[in-house]
Structures are given as structure tokens and as C-alpha cells.
Amino acid sequence: MKRKPGERLAAIAPYLWLGLFFLFPFVLVLKLSLSDQALAMPPYAPQIDWSAGLAGIKRFLDALDFETYARLKSDDLYLVAYLSSLRFAAIGTILCLLVGYPIAHGMARCAPGRRNLLLLAVILPFWTSFLIRVYAWVAILKPEGLLNMALEAVGLPGLSLLNTPVSVYIGLVYCYLPFMVLPIYAVLERQDHSLLEAAADLGSPPWKTFWQVTFPLSLPGVAAGALLCFIPMVGEFVVPDLLGGAQTLMIGKTVWTEFFSNRDWPSASAVAVVLLLTLVIPIVLYQRQQAKALETGQ
Amino acid sequence: MSRFGEFTRRAAVIAAAAAVLAGCGRGGAKEEVLHIYNWSDYIDPAIVSDFTKETGIKVVYDTFDSQEVMETKLLTGGTGYDLVVPANNSVPRLIQAGVLQKLDKAQLSNFGNLWPDLMARMDPFDPGAQYTAPYMWGTIGIGYNVDAVKQRLPGVAIDSWDVVFRPENIAKLKDCGVYMLDASEDMFTVALAAQGKNPNSLAEADYAGATDMLLSIRPFVRKFHSSEYINALANGDICLAVGFSGDVFQAKARADEAGGKVKIDYVIPREGTQVYFDVFAIPADAPNPTAALKFMNYMLRPEVAAKASNYVQFANANQKALDKVDPEIRDNPNIYPTPEVFSRLFVATSKDPKLVREINRQWTRVVTGR
């Protein structure tokens, strides 16, 4: 089969992109994770001695070791931080789904003209800096903040939410909600309305129609939204740093400590590599399930 | 979804245009530029604009609030900064890693204004002051809301580390809010001093003991953070912070400006505490070291150093500036300690990577309970 050059380029473009912006940086991080800490600039050894040619590269490869990974295994801090991050991300994703699904559902049922307006409202927060939006939550949740002023005004006792896990969840849901709403909305909007009419004609009550028709058909959107929320949440640093308290242990902060406080780039890289591998698993599972669904023709 | 696609496309075009414009701004101008990287809230902005007026050198001024971030950027190299302000204990590491360049003393005619006593204390970190020139110096101590603390700890003199490191005291302050620096090495020096140990101990067992003490008071600490406490103290959101002297005095100044409803004070605990020096230094790969030297020499003028102190409420390292510093700052023993208090201050030494890792691991235990 003969292909035009443009087509061939289009076919390899995604691979080029992945190779250049994912695989290459990943190899660098992987190499760094096998190095050792050093008091130098940059603060790790070994460095490749290009002038020595092949011998230099061989010497470099010989100096790499798995010492950093041994440390990750020997100290349970890392495991606890991973598990804690996964828990924050899992609960945050579920909360996003609980809040985001009704929003997406409501939007999809609106008249087309109003849909665009609502869509704009969902995207609008992105026009302000992420950091500033998180700081705004500090102003709302702090002891003398807007929330407590409002509670006081109606005669209710104040809450101290800032620097607790609750405020981290509030921040996570707030920041990642659009990533949940948009994919679900995209699926629901395309759904065939005649299916619902048919269900109603056959005597199915609305809640049953929802659980047996609407929801199962929207699952691809839910899965996409869940992945889009879950993956960045696991590595989230800004939200737990600004809204979290002393007891909020997340892997992003662990990487920070390794990188900045310990000045140990190899350990920081090892933590990041392990995190990446943990995150690849759910994606692979999702892909496999999708492929199976295609095969069985669902 | 088509609208959404249109949106992102348009946003991408705008972003690209903005990037091009920003690029032009940087490359097109021919004026001389000096890039400074200093602690947040650590200079009178008028000094920077005065310097530009006098020399025509444009100053791009960036700030950090954590020594670690600054050090990591320098170790990475290629920061583009001409002048940085590390603290004394990171100087030996930076020198050894080859991050700093030697100062051309011929261009620092005002270097002789520096205080010999302080220079002697700085000598172990930078022998012969070859790489650095001290800017300000300060202590780590207790900043507190006078009324709130007096009400909760009646009859307790606020002059000792016991106020923060004894659970029976600090527990009573939990409701009004306690902050501590999120700076592992600094916090361990004062914790060890409070226990009567060598603050620069090399024994891991000493750090384990300090960790136990810190863990016993951890439930009463709202947050470990190295800069938020300035505003929090000033606004009355918290009532006590273990922090840097100058930062607490800034909180005090802000509270006074806001009408004086919140009364802040700072104390050097009688068990002694860490004194630190923030020093000017020039990165080895600085694009414009000449301008950096000019700025350094400008800052070493007595009247400029005094102006800086009057604004940031820190003691400067300039002996000739002393009589130009506001009397209320100069005569405050918590800013310019008396010789008797000074004798109880210690400097933090530079520790080897293995001990630093152990200290940071213990600190993570303190902060997270793990």
C-alpha cells in the first residue's frame, strides 16, 4: 500500500511527541535515580565523560546502582506517603464524580443555547491562575476568613477547616471538577434521546431509566473523567501545601523534601519513577478493558 | 464540544502571542540589567529604585522564602542571577560545589565598613571573606501576640524555650494558633539548645532525643511554614510563632500600622538561640558580576545599610551604619543584642550530607508523625 508522505508523518507524529516529551525526560529521570548524591554542580554523580568516548560511557554505566531504591524499600515513610496520596486522590475523585455528574447531566439536558453558556461557566475559572484560586480558598477557610464571618453572621459556631484534610479535599474537588464534568458532559450530550423516550413508553420510571440506560452509556465519560482527576491528584503538591496541615503527608511533598531539603536528586527521582509506575497500572487496566469492550462489540 | 475546541485554540494563539511579546521585551532592551535573588520582604523597595536612579542599572528582583529552593536553583546552575543572598550555613556547601565566584575586593571600596566582630563569626563559613559580604543578621526566637498569650499563660514569663517546648505550656496556646518554621536544620539547633545540648551536635542520638521532645508538642502546632506566620501574626490569626527575628518585627510593624489592635513582641529565649547571617554572594555563572559588585558596594554604604535596617527591622552587618539606624531599632536588645545576650548566641554549622539526611528524616517524623 502506498502512502503519501504527509500521512506517514501524521502516523508517526504521536510517537515522535511521546518519544521527545515523555520517553526522553523519563530516561533522564531514570538515569538520575540510579546516580549518587554529590556536593557539586549539578549535585549528583556520575557524569558522563564524553571526551573519553566509549570508555567514558562504560565507566558511567558501571557507576550507576540501585542504592536509592533500596532506601525506598527500607524506610516505610515512602510507602505511607504513596498510600496516603492514593487515598487522597481516590476520595477526591469520588467526590468529584458525585459533584460533577449531576452538573454534567443538568448541562446536557439544557437547551443548546444555554449549554454553551454553562460550558463557559465551567471553563471560566481556568482564566485565573491556579495558584491564585487556591490562595482564594485560604482566604475563605482561614479562622478569620469569609466562611467563618458568614457563619458568625447567621449565629452559627465557626469552623476551623484550613490546614485539615477536609480543606485539602475541598481544594482538590474545586480544582479538578472541570476535568470530571467535561468528559461526562461530552458523552451525555451525544446520547440518543429516543432511548429515554422508548424507556418511558415501555413504563420505566425515570430513576430506573437513569441507572439502566443513561448511566451505563456514560461510563466511558466517567472513566475518562476519573483518570483525568485521579492521576494529577496523586502527585498534587500545591493544594496540600497551601491548604493541608502538618499531618497531610503526600508524595509530592516527599519528592520536595528529597529534592530541596536533602538535596538528594537521585532519591527524589527514584520516588518519582516509582510513582509513575504506580500510575501506569490503572491506565493499562483501563486500556485493556476498553480493548476488550471493542472486541466483544459492546 | 466544538465550542470548547475553539476556545482552547484561541487561548493557545493568545498564549503564543504573549510569549513572543515577552521574549521581545527581554531581548530588545539594551539597558544594563542586574538580576537579584533575595529572601522575601527583605529590602526597602526605595533602595532598589534609588540604585537604579544613581547607576542606570535596571534591577530585576526575585524572592524566595526557603533557603532550600534557593540552594537547589544555584546547584542546578544557569539561574541567570547576578546576586544571591544565602545564609551562613549554606555558604561552605556552595563554595565547595563551585557555585560562587570570588569577590573582586578592588571594586568593593566600602567593604571596610563591615563589623569585625561579626566578620570573625562568619570566618569559619567563608575564610577570609573571599566569597561573601554580610547583609543582615538575625536570630531565631519566639514571636507572640502579647495579649492572647498573657491571657492563656498567666504568670508565665515569656523568656524561655520552655514556653514552646513544654507540652503543658504550648497546649494552652493550641486554640489561638502556633506556627513553627519548616526548616529542619534551624529548628533542630534551637530544640537542642532548649535541651541544653550542643546545638550543632553530630550525634544522631541527640537528634532522636530532640525529635521526641518535638513530637510531644507537635499536636499543638497548627502549621510548620517559613513565611506565612508574618501575616498570620499581624492579622491575629495565630498567637505564637517560632520564627526569624526580622520577620516577627515586620509582623509587629504591620500590626501597628493596622491600628494596634494586635500587639506583637519578639524574644530571644534565655537558653540561647541561633544567630544567622544572610550574605551577598555572586554565582559563578552570573551574567553581570560587575553590576552585582556595584550593588553590593552600594549596599555597604553606611546610610544605605541603615535605611535597609530601618525598613526590614533587622540588624545590619555594617559598623559605620550603627549611628544612622533608628534608635528604637538600635536600642532594642532583641534586634541588636547586648554583649551578654550575644554571648549566648551560636551559629549553625554546615553538616555533611549523611547527617543532613538523618536530620531531615527526623524532621519529617516531627512534621507528619511518621
Side-chain angles (χ1 to χ4, degrees):
Chain A
M1 200 169 80
K2 256 173 88 177
R3 276 192 185 182
K4 285 179 209 155
E7 261 176 50
R8 198 174 300 161
L9 188 70
I12 61 163
Y15 296 100
L16 255 176
W17 178 272
L18 264 181
L20 208 58
F21 296 111
F22 176 75
L23 205 58
F24 180 62
F26 179 72
V27 169
L28 287 185
V29 172
L30 191 66
K31 181 209 90 168
L32 193 47
S33 74
L34 301 174
S35 308
D36 293 309
Q37 193 181 7
L39 202 51
M41 185 171 141
Y44 55 85
Q47 309 282 348
I48 302 181
D49 180 11
W50 291 109
S51 60
L54 273 179
I57 294 176
K58 188 174 180 305
R59 222 176 305 141
F60 164 78
L61 289 175
D62 287 343
L64 296 180
D65 57 46
F66 288 89
E67 199 189 308
T68 49
Y69 290 94
R71 182 181 300 123
L72 292 199
K73 238 180 88 184
S74 66
D75 191 339
D76 74 337
L77 166 75
Y78 303 98
L79 183 66
V80 172
Y82 279 121
L83 293 179
S84 162
S85 293
L86 291 174
R87 198 184 60 227
F88 268 107
I91 296 178
T93 305
I94 291 168
L95 291 174
C96 269
L97 181 63
L98 292 179
V99 179
Y101 200 98
I103 295 176
H105 195 251
M107 279 165 62
R109 294 193 138 198
C110 276
R114 274 186 59 199
R115 271 184 213 169
N116 285 333
L117 197 69
L118 291 171
L119 204 53
L120 180 70
V122 171
I123 302 165
L124 208 58
F126 284 113
W127 292 17
T128 320
S129 149
F130 175 72
L131 197 61
I132 289 178
R133 283 183 284 135
V134 179
Y135 265 115
W137 275 105
V138 174
I140 294 170
L141 297 175
K142 68 178 190 171
E144 316 282 318
L146 295 172
L147 177 68
N148 279 350
M149 273 158 63
L151 286 175
E152 206 178 311
V154 294
L156 288 169
L159 296 166
S160 78
L161 289 178
L162 190 61
N163 308 331
T164 65
V166 177
S167 71
V168 176
Y169 285 124
I170 291 174
L172 287 177
V173 171
Y174 169 76
C175 292
Y176 289 97
L177 195 58
F179 296 103
M180 185 63 90
V181 171
L182 292 175
I184 297 177
Y185 166 78
V187 172
L188 288 177
E189 192 209 16
R190 273 177 301 170
Q191 239 171 42
D192 192 346
H193 260 265
S194 54
L195 289 175
L196 303 183
E197 280 160 23
D201 286 348
L202 293 170
S204 165
W207 62 268
K208 205 169 174 187
T209 313
F210 176 80
W211 282 116
Q212 293 193 336
V213 180
T214 310
F215 188 71
L217 283 175
S218 69
L219 275 179
V222 171
L227 276 183
L228 282 177
C229 290
F230 181 79
I231 291 170
M233 273 186 195
V234 176
E236 182 57 54
F237 175 71
V238 173
V239 172
D241 191 50
L242 292 178
L243 301 177
Q247 70 277 47
T248 319
L249 181 64
M250 282 185 78
I251 205 71
K253 177 74 182 173
T254 311
V255 173
W256 197 97
T257 308
E258 289 295 346
F259 196 81
F260 290 101
S261 304
N262 291 342
R263 299 168 205 95
D264 188 344
W265 295 18
S267 288
S269 306
V271 175
V273 168
V274 174
L275 177 67
L276 186 84
L277 295 179
T278 340
L279 290 182
V280 160
I281 295 168
I283 301 171
V284 169
L285 287 179
Y286 172 71
Q287 288 279 20
R288 192 171 290 176
Q289 189 255 327
Q290 290 287 90
K292 211 187 272 173
L294 269 181
E295 258 172 41
T296 52
Q298 273 182 339
Chain B
M1 287 301 278
S2 65
R3 270 295 166 85
F4 183 48
E6 181 63 30
F7 256 125
T8 43
R9 247 195 314 280
R10 221 174 267 176
V13 169
I14 293 170
V20 168
L21 285 176
C24 283
R26 221 175 296 151
K30 262 194 179 158
E31 60 190 338
E32 201 178 347
V33 182
L34 169 67
H35 291 264
I36 299 178
Y37 195 38
N38 196 356
W39 290 88
S40 51
D41 302 308
Y42 209 27
I43 201 163
D44 182 348
I47 292 178
V48 178
S49 54
D50 286 352
F51 174 76
T52 302
K53 248 179 258 160
E54 188 179 305
T55 60
I57 298 172
K58 191 183 156 211
V59 176
V60 179
Y61 196 90
D62 286 349
T63 60
F64 54 88
D65 76 343
S66 129
Q67 167 114 326
E68 289 86 356
V69 171
M70 182 268 308
E71 237 185 286
T72 303
K73 277 200 181 182
L74 289 179
L75 287 170
T76 316
T79 56
Y81 293 120
D82 302 302
L83 192 70
V84 293
V85 189
N88 53 305
N89 58 343
S90 74
V91 167
R93 271 196 296 265
L94 294 175
I95 293 175
Q96 205 187 329
V99 169
L100 304 179
Q101 59 173 277
K102 285 190 181 171
L103 302 178
D104 181 2
K105 294 278 177 61
Q107 299 192 49
L108 294 174
S109 55
N110 297 326
F111 203 84
N113 296 343
L114 289 166
W115 198 342
D117 278 7
L118 290 182
M119 297 305 284
R121 292 212 173 205
M122 192 55 211
D123 204 58
F125 299 92
D126 175 14
Q130 294 190 75
Y131 293 88
T132 64
Y135 172 44
M136 298 276 174
W137 55 285
T139 50
I140 294 173
I142 303 169
Y144 62 105
N145 181 322
V146 178
D147 299 326
V149 170
K150 192 186 270 174
Q151 186 198 338
R152 287 169 180 79
L153 289 175
V156 177
I158 312 299
D159 66 348
S160 160
W161 284 121
D162 286 350
V163 174
V164 282
F165 291 134
R166 285 196 179 236
E168 63 267 30
N169 287 333
I170 198 82
K172 295 187 182 126
L173 301 178
K174 188 191 179 196
D175 71 303
C176 61
V178 175
Y179 260 53
M180 279 189 193
L181 292 172
D182 187 9
S184 51
E185 290 177 62
D186 289 337
M187 284 303 296
F188 270 109
T189 62
V190 297
L192 288 168
Q195 291 185 314
K197 300 256 175 61
N198 173 5
N200 288 307
S201 171
L202 299 179
E204 289 188 5
D206 283 349
Y207 289 93
T211 301
D212 288 340
M213 179 182 77
L214 289 166
L215 278 173
S216 72
I217 57 141
R218 187 184 80 93
F220 314 115
V221 177
R222 185 179 292 169
K223 194 166 184 182
F224 296 91
H225 197 283
S226 298
S227 59
E228 270 180 16
Y229 66 93
I230 307 178
N231 274 325
L233 266 180
N235 297 341
D237 287 342
I238 62 170
C239 61
L240 187 140
V242 175
F244 300 120
S245 52
D247 285 349
V248 175
F249 284 111
Q250 267 187 64
K252 181 181 158 69
R254 280 185 206 176
D256 292 345
E257 268 170 39
K261 244 179 33 189
V262 178
K263 251 173 69 193
I264 306 293
D265 208 352
Y266 174 82
V267 66
I268 293 176
R270 57 183 152 80
E271 295 88 348
T273 190
Q274 187 195 131
V275 56
Y276 59 88
F277 306 89
D278 291 321
V279 299
F280 288 121
I282 304 178
D285 56 4
N288 195 352
T290 322
L293 284 165
K294 271 186 201 158
F295 186 82
M296 224 188 255
N297 206 35
Y298 182 81
M299 294 305 292
L300 288 169
R301 288 183 195 170
E303 63 277 11
V304 178
K307 187 172 179 171
S309 279
N310 292 342
Y311 184 87
V312 300
Q313 320 242 339
F314 267 92
N316 62 61
N318 200 310
Q319 193 176 27
K320 297 229 172 94
L322 195 58
D323 56 349
K324 294 179 180 66
V325 173
D326 285 346
E328 57 181 288
I329 292 174
R330 187 181 46 201
D331 300 335
N332 186 334
N334 284 315
I335 301 181
Y336 278 95
T338 59
E340 190 268 325
V341 174
F342 203 88
S343 68
R344 282 182 277 132
L345 303 181
F346 55 84
V347 289
T349 56
S350 207
K351 284 139 188 125
D352 71 71
K354 189 171 169 287
L355 187 60
V356 168
R357 165 168 282 283
E358 176 62 23
I359 290 172
N360 285 323
R361 182 65 188 87
Q362 298 286 356
W363 183 246
T364 304
R365 264 188 75 204
V366 171
V367 173
T368 65
R370 289 282 174 183

